[in-house]
Amino acid sequence: MSDYSAKDIQALEGREAVRKRPSMYIANTSSDGLHQLVTEVVDNSIDEAIAGYCKEIDVTIHSDNSITESDDGRGIPIDMHESGRTALEVIMTELHSGGKFDGRSSIGYKVAGGLHGVGLTVVNFLSEWLLVEVRKNGNIYRQRYEYGNPVNELKVVGKANSRGTSHHFLPDKTIFDSIEFSFDMLSTRLRELAFLNKGIKITLNDERTMKDRVFHYEGGIVSFVQLLNQNKNILHSTPIYIQKERENVQAEVALQFTDDYSEQVFSYANNINTHNGGTHLTGFRSALTRVFNDYAKSRNLLKGADASLQGDDIREGLTAVVSVKVPEPQFGGQTKDKLGNREVQGIVESIVHEELSTYLEENPAVAKNIVQKSILASQAREAARKARELTRRKGILEDSGLPETLADCSEKSAENSEIFLVEGISAGGLAKQARDRRFQAILPLRGKFTNIEKVDKMRLDKILANETIRTLISALGTSIGQDDFDLTKLRYGKVIIMADADVDGAHIRTLILAFFYRQMPELIHKGHLYVAQPPLYRAYKGRRERYINNEEEMNKYLMELAFENIVVTNIKCERPYTDLQTHQIIENMYALEDQLVRLHRRGIESDRLFRDWFVDEANTPLYRIKTDKDEYYRFEGEQFEIMESEEEQIAEEKEIPEQLDMLEKKEDEDAQEEEKEPQVIVEDVSDLPEIKEIRSLLERFAKREIMPEDLYEYKNGKEAWEEDEELDGQKKEGKVLFRVEEKDETIHIVSSVRDLIDKITEIGKQGINVQRYKGLSEMNSEQLRVTTMDPAVRTLIQIKLEDVVEADLMFTTLMGSKVEPRKEFIRKFALQVTNLDIYGS
């Protein structure tokens, strides 16, 4: 038996504890935890906004998936702390450090989201590197950290006319499953923060795709409700708005009723999205039910003395945002998804009851419309209850009465089984032959699947009248409706939508997705819903065939075919390449082109940079110019403009490096007063992530005797490099050729790696036939199995909901009862369509 003593006990603290057990401080080390890093940093800026010191926040996703977050708040303190280090370093390296613990109004943090004092420190500990800049006292201070440890002292790097803090960090790849940030997930969070803090401007930029969003809402959560309802039929033109403070708790509520049949309520505490609700949401719902019942009974709008409306009846068609700010919030862990302060429930309930009662008294027409709709909802609920009872008696919604069209599997464990929802009876029959009956069930969907977004179809009794939907509900086993839906009864771990690859199939998929989104959203939230990916093409040459899902796969396949028939030689050194080496060269070329595109998106003349730095080795200095309002790049000698005043838009030309002394304040010629220059930082840069990656790629090319000038036919003196007709003498300086020899002894001469790729693709196309699939029935059962249903080779797309607001707007715009928003959407985006199937049906 081994000894177990004190020497076996470890006490992890600080940085080591966070890096060893990161999930104790963020949600996890997958996508949620990764995005939590950004949330933690932004929340500190929002706390500055709540305190009244911040108006603008900028978030940038860089091409290497590093993040820069910047605000115009007061700036993190940089003076010395009692510990002998700067306050900045204490905040960055010590857990539970900050100025928000005792609610001291003297520094402005009466309420805040980041009250645990671990957010920014954890971000630092979980990053490969973090660069923090503080604009304060007329200076710009900067300090760099690596894996949570400072690597230099805090130092002044420039002059500043503004104040604020910037954080630039790269998450640690050894900690997180992936460091690929989702634009949509960040967009969702930042939009919420802009709504919850009226007047603040939040900008999100994505340098990977050049997408950007600006969130700025003077109306606050009222604007939020209006956005959610913009394509719906509303019962009253202006949202009801309630704002009041009681016992140091600030409550803010905006609500509006529509003729929709679903409820959409968002709750927040100290700007944190409380996905699982909490006491503030409970208080709001209790007040809502009580107020409308009191109003209806006092006006004799309900039949019978004991009649009353249920909360679900009243909230049908409700869109609401409930936000509270609490001095000492009690959240469910660092992820803060549920508010636990008991006193908040009573405060919110009393405030909403008082203010909403007054509103209904002053707006009787609105009150009557809402009550009448609630009464109709009550009647529909009763009709739905009877419909469910009827279907239960018929065995339609119970396990004992599975639909006749369902081909069930023998596996009884939901975790190990899956069901394919197949468009059409014929395709369903094909899928039954192709499936593995041990764990794969098939449900053919026949008949018209209802559009759940049409208002006259969204009531539960109307939905249950559709035979196709009843069949689907019965097969899944979860039942339907807020009172009856039970995810634990789901009979299959994967619910897979499998439809044709044409326009009709896309329509069917959309209708089914809309149904799950509105009526069974938990299937999406818990990761049970998938879409099968049938192949787009069948490429065949003789007896060989390959199923292709997209254009990228097609290009790779053409390369494979070409490699079987060619030998590529670098003529400069008479070096033949293996197929693997040629493939690596091509992949590196694609990566290089991607980096050049990214540089171009930054506003850098990428062709010039590549030619000057890597081909001609001139190394013309490149400067990053950071101003109050922008950041851009210029080569030495190029001119750039500094905007002295956003209001006056006065432009003054500067030239690099002659004007590097612009950081100095210039004196007024009249000596009356000192005139402030715009805040400008000019840095000689060579460490951009794109440039680092280009250097790494060029090292890989060099191992294959390929130099930078071999990659593109760059022009010298506007004269293109010309091909020699003779193979002799092709090693002259500034010229390289590749020889591509086919087995039939055909020889091709190309002058760059890009030309090499084009020639190989051309050779790969020789003798190949391509069949474009439009329907599942165009395949036989074996083809369907090996392409779409076999878990070993198939491609499934998991349906995820990263931006609830955007998803809701998209469904209501494209599938709702209003025609104009749909027409406007088509007008706006028609010219941006890239995958238009003009042959589909």
Side-chain angles (χ1 to χ4, degrees):
M1 184 175 65
S2 60
D3 293 334
Y4 179 52
S5 62
K7 69 177 184 295
D8 298 308
I9 304 301
Q10 291 180 295
L12 297 177
E13 295 182 359
R15 173 182 171 278
E16 289 73 19
V18 174
R19 292 182 60 81
K20 190 73 173 177
R21 295 288 184 266
S23 296
M24 290 184 64
Y25 300 88
I26 55 176
N28 46 51
T29 56
S30 60
S31 179
D32 290 340
L34 177 70
H35 291 81
Q36 183 72 19
L37 298 184
V38 183
T39 298
E40 294 291 350
V41 178
V42 173
D43 281 349
N44 286 328
S45 298
I46 290 297
D47 290 340
E48 280 287 282
I50 294 174
Y53 298 102
C54 175
K55 294 296 183 183
E56 294 190 13
I57 300 172
D58 295 303
V59 177
T60 300
I61 311 172
H62 298 290
S63 58
D64 61 348
N65 274 294
S66 63
I67 294 286
T68 294
E69 187 272 351
S70 180
D71 66 47
D72 61 352
R74 289 170 290 182
I76 296 176
I78 45 82
D79 51 323
M80 296 303 296
H81 187 257
E82 60 185 16
S83 64
R85 296 178 296 165
T86 63
L88 173 66
E89 188 171 320
V90 172
I91 290 172
M92 298 299 299
T93 60
E94 295 290 339
L95 292 174
H96 307 292
S97 58
K100 308 171 189 177
F101 293 110
D102 56 6
R104 288 178 291 168
S105 59
S106 61
I107 60 173
Y109 293 128
K110 187 176 181 181
V111 295
L115 291 173
H116 295 177
V118 302
L120 187 54
T121 316
V122 167
V123 173
N124 188 26
F125 289 165
L126 298 180
S127 297
E128 288 188 21
W129 51 262
L130 185 149
L131 194 66
V132 59
E133 275 187 4
V134 178
R135 301 178 299 281
K136 203 178 185 76
N137 306 327
N139 294 320
I140 301 173
Y141 302 85
R142 182 182 295 168
Q143 189 172 25
R144 181 181 175 90
Y145 296 81
E146 293 181 0
Y147 302 100
N149 294 317
V151 296
N152 55 31
E153 298 291 331
L154 183 67
K155 57 185 178 181
V156 176
V157 295
K159 298 292 183 181
N161 293 329
S162 62
R163 64 186 186 186
T165 306
S166 299
H167 304 92
H168 186 190
F169 65 93
L170 179 69
D172 190 345
K173 301 180 186 68
T174 66
I175 297 290
F176 295 95
D177 301 341
S178 167
I179 63 166
E180 187 78 19
F181 282 98
S182 164
F183 182 87
D184 288 339
M185 288 183 70
L186 293 180
S187 178
T188 297
R189 179 59 183 149
L190 298 180
R191 182 196 298 110
E192 291 175 340
L193 291 172
F195 278 126
L196 294 166
N197 299 273
K198 64 177 67 175
I200 194 168
K201 180 181 178 182
I202 305 179
T203 304
L204 174 62
N205 294 292
D206 191 342
E207 292 182 350
R208 303 167 304 179
T209 61
M210 296 308 294
K211 292 172 66 176
D212 63 84
R213 298 271 178 85
V214 177
F215 306 110
H216 187 203
Y217 307 102
E218 293 294 342
I221 63 173
V222 172
S223 298
F224 195 177
V225 170
Q226 290 172 328
L227 173 68
L228 293 168
N229 288 342
Q230 68 178 12
N231 294 328
K232 300 176 183 178
N233 296 311
I234 54 177
L235 299 187
H236 48 106
S237 58
T238 304
I240 303 169
Y241 179 63
I242 298 170
Q243 183 182 30
K244 204 164 189 177
E245 181 174 344
R246 185 168 296 169
E247 299 178 24
N248 293 324
V249 174
Q250 302 171 28
E252 190 179 12
V253 177
L255 63 153
Q256 188 176 41
F257 289 86
T258 72
D259 66 356
D260 220 343
Y261 299 105
S262 59
E263 170 191 353
Q264 199 169 23
V265 178
F266 296 87
S267 66
Y268 302 87
N270 290 23
N271 290 314
I272 306 300
N273 190 333
T274 47
H275 298 282
N276 288 328
T279 52
H280 55 326
L281 184 58
T282 302
F284 166 72
R285 286 178 167 168
S286 297
L288 197 69
T289 303
R290 189 153 60 99
V291 167
F292 277 100
N293 269 298
D294 290 346
Y295 185 88
K297 290 178 180 179
S298 66
R299 303 301 191 278
N300 294 319
L301 299 177
L302 302 177
K303 294 181 180 180
D306 297 328
S308 63
L309 298 169
Q310 292 190 6
D312 291 343
D313 303 332
I314 298 168
R315 295 194 302 272
E316 185 180 89
L318 169 67
T319 301
V321 177
V322 180
S323 174
V324 296
K325 293 184 172 66
V326 186
E328 297 289 340
Q330 299 170 13
F331 289 112
Q334 179 63 14
T335 53
K336 308 168 186 173
D337 59 356
K338 187 174 184 178
L339 183 67
N341 300 65
R342 293 184 178 180
E343 72 279 5
V344 173
Q345 177 175 340
I347 293 172
V348 171
E349 184 171 355
S350 63
I351 290 175
V352 173
H353 185 274
E354 293 170 9
E355 299 297 316
L356 187 56
S357 297
T358 300
Y359 176 88
L360 297 184
E361 291 292 338
E362 295 174 352
N363 298 270
V366 173
K368 186 176 180 181
N369 283 342
I370 297 172
V371 170
Q372 287 178 339
K373 184 178 187 302
S374 300
I375 293 173
L376 290 175
S378 177
Q379 295 170 350
R381 174 172 52 80
E382 180 61 20
R385 184 189 65 78
K386 292 179 179 178
R388 286 196 299 272
E389 290 300 322
L390 178 62
T391 52
R392 285 195 184 98
R393 286 196 297 271
K394 293 181 178 181
I396 296 176
L397 297 183
E398 300 296 332
D399 289 348
S400 59
L402 293 175
E404 295 179 359
T405 54
L406 173 68
D408 207 358
C409 57
S410 57
E411 174 64 54
K412 298 304 180 183
S413 168
E415 183 179 355
N416 300 319
S417 61
E418 55 191 38
I419 183 172
F420 285 85
L421 311 180
V422 186
E423 172 199 357
I425 298 301
S426 60
L430 190 66
K432 290 177 184 178
Q433 298 176 44
R435 69 172 176 148
D436 186 329
R437 63 179 61 247
R438 293 175 302 167
F439 65 94
Q440 292 179 326
I442 306 296
L443 180 66
L445 299 177
R446 61 185 177 187
K448 183 179 179 181
F449 203 94
T450 189
N451 181 358
I452 206 71
E453 289 297 310
K454 297 294 185 181
V455 294
D456 61 333
K457 299 289 186 182
M458 287 180 64
R459 287 195 185 277
L460 195 53
D461 56 326
K462 299 289 186 181
I463 292 172
L464 292 174
N466 182 278
E467 181 180 356
T468 303
I469 289 182
R470 288 203 312 270
T471 301
L472 173 58
I473 297 169
S474 174
L476 296 182
T478 60
S479 193
I480 191 174
Q482 186 169 352
D483 295 331
D484 294 316
F485 177 81
D486 187 352
L487 187 63
T488 64
K489 294 182 179 180
L490 182 65
R491 301 180 68 244
Y492 310 95
K494 287 186 175 70
V495 179
I496 305 169
I497 303 170
M498 186 164 70
D500 292 343
D502 61 4
V503 174
D504 288 338
H507 186 209
I508 293 296
R509 282 193 300 274
T510 304
L511 290 172
I512 298 173
L513 286 172
F515 168 76
F516 285 124
Y517 173 69
R518 293 300 187 192
Q519 295 296 328
M520 296 183 178
E522 283 299 302
L523 284 182
I524 300 175
H525 294 314
K526 300 299 183 182
H528 293 291
L529 189 61
Y530 296 81
V531 170
Q533 189 79 20
L536 288 178
Y537 306 104
R538 172 179 171 249
Y540 56 97
K541 187 175 183 179
R543 294 184 177 181
R544 298 174 56 186
E545 66 179 4
R546 176 76 65 86
Y547 297 97
I548 310 293
N549 287 326
N550 51 51
E551 294 296 334
E552 183 179 355
E553 285 187 26
M554 177 65 78
N555 289 333
K556 289 182 178 179
Y557 182 55
L558 294 176
M559 293 282 180
E560 289 179 21
L561 293 175
F563 287 156
E564 297 175 358
N565 192 43
I566 64 172
V567 174
V568 177
T569 301
N570 185 325
I571 297 177
K572 180 183 285 188
C573 59
E574 281 300 326
R575 172 179 178 173
Y577 295 123
T578 66
D579 292 347
L580 176 60
Q581 289 171 338
T582 305
H583 179 75
Q584 291 172 341
I585 291 170
I586 292 171
E587 289 297 311
N588 289 339
M589 189 64 195
Y590 286 145
L592 174 62
E593 290 175 336
D594 180 62
Q595 296 305 317
L596 292 174
V597 169
R598 293 173 187 269
L599 286 173
H600 181 73
R601 288 171 176 169
R602 283 185 182 268
I604 298 173
E605 192 179 344
S606 56
D607 282 358
R608 174 183 174 181
L609 183 143
F610 188 82
R611 183 177 61 249
D612 284 6
W613 285 32
F614 303 113
V615 177
D616 298 336
E617 296 184 354
N619 289 329
T620 304
L622 177 67
Y623 294 90
R624 178 196 289 122
I625 300 101
K626 296 173 68 175
T627 71
D628 288 333
K629 302 297 180 184
D630 205 355
E631 174 179 304
Y632 47 99
Y633 299 83
R634 293 291 185 272
F635 288 98
E636 182 176 88
E638 289 185 332
Q639 305 242 321
F640 65 96
E641 294 181 347
I642 301 299
M643 308 309 294
E644 292 185 347
S645 167
E646 187 176 23
E647 293 78 16
E648 299 176 8
Q649 296 288 287
I650 302 174
E652 179 181 356
E653 289 191 348
K654 304 287 182 181
E655 187 171 301
I656 305 170
E658 297 174 5
Q659 299 295 332
L660 291 184
D661 60 349
M662 68 181 68
L663 297 178
E664 304 285 338
K665 293 182 179 179
K666 63 182 181 180
E667 297 181 359
D668 192 308
E669 293 180 357
D670 298 329
Q672 296 295 321
E673 60 181 19
E674 199 171 50
E675 180 182 350
K676 286 186 176 181
E677 280 274 6
Q679 172 190 311
V680 181
I681 304 175
V682 180
E683 299 174 313
D684 188 347
V685 296
S686 59
D687 61 344
L688 294 175
E690 296 89 349
I691 295 177
K692 289 181 179 179
E693 181 62 20
I694 288 174
R695 288 197 177 98
S696 175
L697 289 167
L698 293 182
E699 289 176 2
R700 290 176 233 169
F701 278 119
K703 292 178 180 179
R704 304 283 179 242
E705 284 82 27
I706 298 175
M707 297 298 106
E709 61 268 21
D710 304 336
L711 300 172
Y712 286 99
E713 291 188 52
Y714 280 102
K715 296 182 179 180
N716 287 331
K718 298 185 179 179
E719 294 284 337
W721 293 327
E722 299 176 351
E723 293 185 7
D724 285 342
E725 296 181 0
E726 302 289 338
L727 293 183
D728 296 334
Q730 289 172 342
K731 302 176 185 178
K732 68 180 182 180
E733 181 142 0
K735 179 71 178 272
V736 64
L737 298 175
F738 296 96
R739 182 171 62 242
V740 182
E741 300 178 65
E742 296 189 59
K743 287 183 177 179
D744 63 2
E745 298 186 352
T746 301
I747 296 177
H748 309 275
I749 303 301
V750 295
S751 56
S752 70
V753 176
R754 169 37 65 189
D755 288 343
L756 177 65
I757 294 174
D758 294 339
K759 179 56 66 175
I760 292 175
T761 303
E762 179 184 323
I763 293 172
K765 290 180 180 179
Q766 297 174 1
I768 192 173
N769 296 291
V770 178
Q771 176 186 0
R772 168 70 161 89
Y773 284 122
K774 293 204 173 287
L776 298 174
S777 298
E778 293 184 17
M779 291 183 275
N780 58 43
S781 60
E782 178 61 18
Q783 290 173 329
L784 183 62
R785 183 187 68 80
V786 300
T787 62
T788 314
M789 299 184 68
D790 185 352
V793 295
R794 72 187 181 190
T795 299
L796 290 182
I797 300 175
Q798 187 177 35
I799 302 301
K800 296 181 178 180
L801 193 57
E802 294 184 343
D803 192 332
V804 176
V805 175
E806 286 293 332
D808 190 79
L809 290 175
M810 190 61 65
F811 277 119
T812 54
T813 299
L814 299 182
M815 302 179 65
S817 58
K818 281 190 173 183
V819 177
E820 273 310 310
R822 189 154 47 253
K823 286 184 177 179
E824 180 59 31
F825 181 89
I826 295 172
R827 292 191 198 102
K828 183 177 180 180
F829 295 107
L831 297 179
Q832 299 180 25
V833 173
T834 57
N835 296 307
L836 180 62
D837 188 353
I838 61 176
Y839 301 107
S841 78

